[in-house]
Amino acid sequence: MAQQVPVGQWKAHFSYYDAFNVVEAGNKIYCATRGGLFYYDKSDNSVQQMSKIEGLSDVSISALAYDEQTAQVIITYADCNIDILQGNQIHTISDFKLKTILGNKYVNSIYVNKGLAYLCCGFAIVVVDLEKYEIRDTYYLGANNSSLAVLELTIAGGRFYATTIGGIYEADASDPFLASSDKWKKHGIAQQIPAKLSRVITTFRDVAYASFGDSVYKFNGSTWQLSPLYAVSCRDMKVQNGNLLVITSFSVIAYADENQLSKVYGKLTFNLHDAIIDAQGACWQADGTYGLVKNIDGNVTLLSPNGPAYPSNARIKSEGGKIFATTSLPISANYSELGMYIYEQGSWTSINRYTTTNIDTVRDYLCSAYNPITDKIMVGTFRSGLVEFKGKILSKIYTPYNSPIQKVPGDEGSVRLFDIGYDSNQNLWVLNTMTDKPVLKLDAKGKWTSYGFSELP
């Protein structure tokens, strides 16, 4: 039994499975997810969530990075707040959040170098001093110091290379006047730059590598040249422990050099976003479905804290000593496959197409009802009918073809069950909206009864 939350205090129940960034900081592996931040401590194999309750300034993380020189983790948020973690201390920089700027301030990625963090933002590059905890400078790359969205940044051969929505820009990293867009040169025909947009760039052995479509090119100082690196569905590239990592949506490919494949790390889904490889050869993957995944020679361990599968929640109710949460709203259909979550005895379990068999076609979980006597969970959906689970195993799906449930006239693909609930006699009542008999009853013996408004008592 989980420990009860003291009266007057809060406990956060976040989803830590939609992971998109992972960094190594000493013995800790930090993982950023759409639900928040947590870390895995390799020294004692513990997992620790971090949220506003633990002192972070915000919730929605946009990017994550680690600076070896200052031994600090940099966290940026969707509202542009900045947290810097140093041991057990959290330094918050709010200047960027509070400053009014024309353009999109969202931080797309973070590049760290020699105690500075370069925030690649939707309007420019913002430079943060990690020792003084202050904004040092802003580099505008657009013509005449105008806004230009910067995606990633790297340094190779003493020069900056930035991927932007307008192409790749280059500048002398030692130039003290980089705040002027005149100092940034856009690559074009003279540099033989590929026609496709590049979002990903990194430096390997002091040479800049960038992905263009499904190919990787390297810059030899004057022109871009095709590299033999594999880059289909490339999400990111980074250098770790002497290896160049190409992170695709379905694998992590490590190269000792561009012509020597070192190792390929597999995946659980086609939803990989980021990965690192530590000095012991373990691959730590940020997976959009399973969260933080540790992969050692194909032996996989899932390490995310327990919580709902996704950060989305529309309705929540308590029945039979359990908490039930569904994920879709009855406003409009969006073909959501997020399913539902169940909380009991201090632990969350989730019902969706990845955790439960035979429900691949079930969409838009709107409402639920639980019968503790039979241990049945009933779920009303927007388009898939009434779904019955015995425990957490699919038992039956009621549709217009095997029950009085009706389709919406004029929308044959839609069955809208907006609410359901049990009465004291174990009858299940169902609201089948936009039909001539919108109230249905399924009694304890499995018999259906339909009611129009004129038939209701």
Side-chain angles (χ1 to χ4, degrees):
M1 181 69 70
Q3 184 177 2
Q4 294 294 315
V5 180
V7 175
Q9 296 186 23
W10 289 89
K11 178 181 179 181
H13 295 268
F14 293 121
S15 171
Y16 295 97
Y17 300 108
D18 189 356
F20 61 91
N21 260 177
V22 58
V23 299
E24 182 179 17
N27 285 326
K28 295 177 180 178
I29 304 295
Y30 285 85
C31 184
T33 74
R34 304 300 173 190
L37 179 74
F38 70 93
Y39 66 81
Y40 174 81
D41 193 328
K42 293 195 289 182
S43 63
D44 60 9
N45 299 317
S46 63
V47 176
Q48 176 64 53
Q49 302 102 310
M50 297 190 69
S51 67
K52 295 181 75 172
I53 295 175
E54 286 75 36
L56 296 184
S57 60
D58 280 289
V59 176
S60 299
I61 298 172
S62 59
L64 187 68
Y66 178 69
D67 178 46
E68 291 186 0
Q69 178 168 309
T70 61
Q72 296 182 117
V73 177
I74 303 97
I75 309 166
T76 59
Y77 300 91
D79 68 354
C80 300
N81 236 344
I82 303 168
D83 277 344
I84 300 174
L85 309 185
Q86 187 179 50
N88 295 322
Q89 291 186 315
I90 301 175
H91 305 272
T92 299
I93 302 174
S94 298
D95 293 355
F96 185 37
K97 172 185 176 180
L98 299 175
K99 188 173 180 61
T100 301
I101 294 173
L102 292 177
N104 178 11
K105 295 198 295 181
Y106 189 87
V107 179
N108 297 306
S109 64
I110 306 170
Y111 177 73
V112 292
N113 185 61
K114 297 181 179 179
L116 298 176
Y118 298 85
L119 312 185
C120 300
C121 305
F123 74 103
I125 299 170
V126 175
V127 186
V128 179
D129 190 316
L130 298 176
E131 294 180 347
K132 296 181 179 179
Y133 305 113
E134 64 183 20
I135 305 296
R136 172 182 283 197
D137 213 340
T138 301
Y139 302 158
Y140 287 90
L141 277 60
N144 300 316
N145 292 343
S146 61
S147 296
L148 180 65
V150 181
L151 305 173
E152 284 195 357
L153 181 71
T154 193
I155 294 178
R159 302 189 69 80
F160 279 122
Y161 296 91
T163 58
T164 77
I165 61 170
I168 290 183
Y169 283 74
E170 176 187 349
D172 184 346
S174 63
D175 193 321
F177 302 107
L178 290 175
S180 173
S181 62
D182 294 340
K183 300 295 182 177
W184 294 84
K185 178 179 68 175
K186 182 180 178 180
H187 285 195
I189 296 175
Q191 290 78 32
Q192 299 179 24
I193 192 167
K196 293 185 177 180
L197 175 68
S198 176
R199 296 183 175 275
V200 175
I201 195 166
T202 194
T203 297
F204 184 49
R205 297 183 178 177
D206 212 24
V207 175
Y209 286 78
S211 68
F212 297 85
D214 288 337
S215 300
V216 174
Y217 285 73
K218 64 180 181 180
F219 191 64
N220 65 8
S222 58
T223 59
W224 288 93
Q225 298 176 337
L226 183 64
S227 164
L229 299 174
Y230 182 86
V232 174
S233 300
C234 179
R235 291 279 177 85
D236 204 357
M237 292 191 296
K238 59 179 57 175
V239 176
Q240 289 232 293
N241 296 303
N243 286 289
L244 172 60
L245 306 186
V246 178
I247 302 157
T248 76
S249 60
F250 50 85
S251 63
V252 181
I253 308 167
Y255 291 90
D257 64 48
E258 67 172 28
N259 293 299
Q260 182 181 350
L261 178 66
S262 178
K263 200 166 189 177
V264 177
Y265 296 83
K267 46 71 185 176
L268 291 175
T269 68
F270 290 90
N271 203 13
L272 276 180
H273 290 276
D274 193 14
I276 58 174
I277 298 177
D278 65 19
Q280 292 73 43
C283 183
W284 304 83
Q285 302 172 349
D287 186 280
T289 302
Y290 291 103
L292 179 61
V293 179
K294 182 182 180 182
N295 187 330
I296 302 178
D297 295 327
N299 296 316
V300 170
T301 306
L302 306 183
L303 296 169
S304 289
N306 177 259
Y310 302 97
S312 299
N313 172 50
R315 291 184 181 179
I316 190 166
K317 66 193 303 186
S318 174
E319 290 183 315
K322 303 179 183 183
I323 302 295
F324 299 87
T326 50
T327 57
S328 293
L329 289 167
I331 300 173
S332 62
N334 57 10
Y335 294 90
S336 170
E337 298 175 340
L338 303 185
M340 68 178 297
Y341 327 124
I342 305 166
Y343 184 72
E344 57 181 316
Q345 296 184 343
S347 180
W348 288 95
T349 57
S350 300
I351 293 177
N352 57 55
R353 62 179 302 183
Y354 299 106
T355 63
T356 308
T357 58
N358 301 319
I359 59 170
D360 287 358
T361 61
V362 178
R363 304 287 190 275
D364 298 308
Y365 290 59
L366 290 182
C367 51
S368 66
Y370 176 61
N371 187 334
I373 297 175
T374 62
D375 196 31
K376 285 184 179 180
I377 304 170
M378 309 297 288
V379 180
T381 72
F382 193 98
R383 63 179 68 256
S384 304
L386 179 68
V387 186
E388 177 182 298
F389 295 94
K390 177 68 174 179
K392 301 175 184 67
I393 300 173
L394 176 67
S395 176
K396 191 172 184 177
I397 300 178
Y398 296 94
T399 70
Y401 303 103
N402 62 2
S403 75
I405 294 173
Q406 297 183 56
K407 300 177 182 179
V408 175
D411 186 3
E412 292 299 303
S414 181
V415 178
R416 305 185 185 183
L417 306 183
F418 272 20
D419 206 0
I420 59 176
Y422 281 102
D423 63 20
S424 58
N425 296 317
Q426 298 187 54
N427 298 310
L428 180 72
W429 293 86
V430 179
L431 295 183
N432 187 188
T433 189
M434 300 182 71
T435 64
D436 59 350
K437 293 193 174 183
V439 180
L440 309 175
K441 181 180 74 173
L442 176 63
D443 67 23
K445 296 182 179 181
K447 179 183 176 182
W448 284 94
T449 307
S450 304
Y451 301 93
F453 288 113
S454 62
E455 299 164 301
L456 291 174

